[in-house]
Amino acid sequence: MQPSPKPSKVAALVPAWQSAAFIQATLDCLSAQTYPHLEVVVSVDECSDSTYEICMAHAQKDSRFRVILQPHRLGYVGNCNFLLDQTDADYVLFAFHDDILKPEYIRLLAEVLDMRPEVVMSYSDVHLTNTNGTQEHWVFTELEGVRDPVQRGALMMSGNNKWWVPNRGLFRLKQARQINGLKTHRAGEFSADWPWLFHMSLLGEFARVPQTLCYKYYKPGSLSRGWEFSKRQLYEVYAAIMREIWISNLTTEQKMTLASPLARWLYQNNPDLKKEEK
């Protein structure tokens, strides 16, 4: 008789900052997860409110939680990468401090990764509440069933879809470390998760669980609400995606297939060249 496979360990990584007013709901939803093999690591970036004290008080009630206070500001990207180094779990997710997950969220996503070794990222649909109270429903279906890494990469970098939905999904830690986590670029942290998700899509399939299991609540101080979404920022993100193409493990032919149209776009939309033309 074959021995039962070792259950997969999951780590929920919480990059927290200036979230005293709302992080308790996120901590509570993680404590309510039905997946039994879970640890939660909270990294509180240097801030001026009581985020750390709230997280520590919660950790005293739930031994699965570990809270780390950063003595110096790491920023969003630095905090996420710090968290990736704090666990030896099989699967991890970024549990953002303004997201609320249904109790079955981790269990359902982990089942997909357990059953499908070709999948590197599983995720659900997302319901968003904006700061003004308006609501949106986010669904990302474009990568479903796509086995070719070049096709996945082309779809991820097209920008004509809700590519950001998988960012709160469950992914294999080994692959995330293989590409050295998230990276800043010449526009700082603007959409830094996009080049990261793009590179992850080159490593394996993305699988959608067709249920609304994640509820996101934008706050006035949410990181992305402070971005300009300028042409320069978009250009730098695409330049960062080009970087990820060339450092990937794709063949030279595959890299050229993805890089050629992107290189043309970068040349045609280079803000510095446009300034010179004027």
Side-chain angles (χ1 to χ4, degrees), residues 184-205:
T184 56
H185 47 70
R186 290 179 61 188
E189 295 182 327
F190 174 76
S191 292
D193 47 349
W194 193 358
W196 177 73
L197 286 169
F198 166 81
H199 201 153
M200 288 291 287
S201 77
L202 303 181
L203 300 178
E205 295 185 30

Side-chain angles (χ1 to χ4, degrees), residues 4-275:
S4 299
K6 184 180 177 182
S8 300
K9 183 179 177 181
V10 172
L13 308 179
V14 184
W17 179 73
Q18 293 292 121
S19 51
F22 50 86
I23 196 170
Q24 187 62 61
T26 299
L27 302 176
D28 289 341
C29 84
L30 292 172
S31 284
Q33 291 298 306
T34 59
Y35 189 77
H37 311 289
L38 173 68
E39 68 168 344
V40 181
V41 187
V42 184
S43 175
V44 180
D45 211 354
E46 182 187 26
C47 55
S48 59
D49 66 3
S50 58
T51 300
Y52 175 70
E53 288 75 14
I54 291 170
C55 293
M56 282 298 297
H58 190 90
Q60 291 174 0
K61 297 182 290 184
D62 190 334
S63 61
R64 296 172 298 174
F65 280 67
R66 179 159 54 97
V67 181
I68 303 164
L69 176 63
Q70 299 299 336
H72 306 290
R73 184 90 164 92
L74 296 179
Y76 165 67
V77 168
N79 209 11
C80 286
N81 288 334
F82 172 85
L83 283 164
L84 288 173
D85 287 333
Q86 301 305 306
T87 182
D88 61 354
D90 301 294
Y91 312 145
V92 298
L93 73 150
F94 290 122
F96 299 115
H97 60 200
D98 50 5
D99 288 0
I100 305 298
L101 310 176
K102 281 192 172 182
E104 64 271 28
Y105 182 85
I106 292 176
R107 176 178 61 81
L108 293 176
L109 270 56
E111 286 176 359
V112 174
L113 294 180
D114 281 343
M115 293 187 296
R116 299 180 57 189
E118 74 278 9
V119 171
V120 298
M121 174 89 67
S122 60
Y123 61 96
S124 78
D125 300 342
V126 177
H127 187 83
L128 168 71
T129 301
N130 287 296
T131 54
N132 62 3
T134 59
Q135 300 187 4
E136 302 174 32
H137 190 63
W138 291 348
V139 179
F140 180 67
T141 61
E142 283 77 2
L143 263 59
E144 288 187 280
V146 180
R147 296 183 178 180
D148 177 29
V150 173
Q151 186 180 356
R152 289 195 302 267
L155 289 166
M156 279 299 295
M157 72 179 184
S158 72
N160 297 322
N161 50 54
K162 292 180 173 59
W163 57 263
W164 55 87
V165 172
N167 195 39
R168 63 254 324 129
L170 189 67
F171 55 92
R172 299 184 190 275
L173 180 60
K174 180 180 178 181
Q175 278 75 6
R177 285 180 171 165
Q178 181 179 330
I179 62 177
N180 296 318
L182 285 75
K183 306 178 185 77
T184 56
H185 47 70
R186 290 179 61 188
E189 295 182 327
F190 174 76
S191 292
D193 47 349
W194 193 358
W196 177 73
L197 286 169
F198 166 81
H199 201 153
M200 288 291 287
S201 77
L202 303 181
L203 300 178
E205 295 185 30
F206 281 26
R208 169 182 170 243
V209 174
Q211 300 181 44
T212 304
L213 302 173
C214 177
Y215 294 80
K216 185 168 191 66
Y217 296 85
Y218 277 145
K219 308 296 181 183
S222 293
L223 177 66
S224 61
R225 299 306 87 197
W227 290 335
E228 296 178 11
F229 292 90
S230 66
K231 292 181 179 179
R232 164 64 74 178
Q233 288 174 323
L234 180 62
Y235 177 85
E236 297 299 347
V237 173
Y238 272 121
I241 289 175
M242 177 68 87
R243 171 191 64 198
E244 296 303 312
I245 292 173
W246 288 115
I247 66 174
S248 73
N249 289 329
L250 294 177
T251 67
T252 300
E253 182 180 0
Q254 289 173 320
K255 290 179 181 180
M256 289 300 296
T257 301
L258 284 171
S260 295
L262 179 55
R264 285 194 295 272
W265 187 94
L266 289 170
Y267 177 77
Q268 293 167 357
N269 293 274
N270 187 327
D272 297 324
L273 289 178
K274 289 183 179 293
K275 286 181 181 179

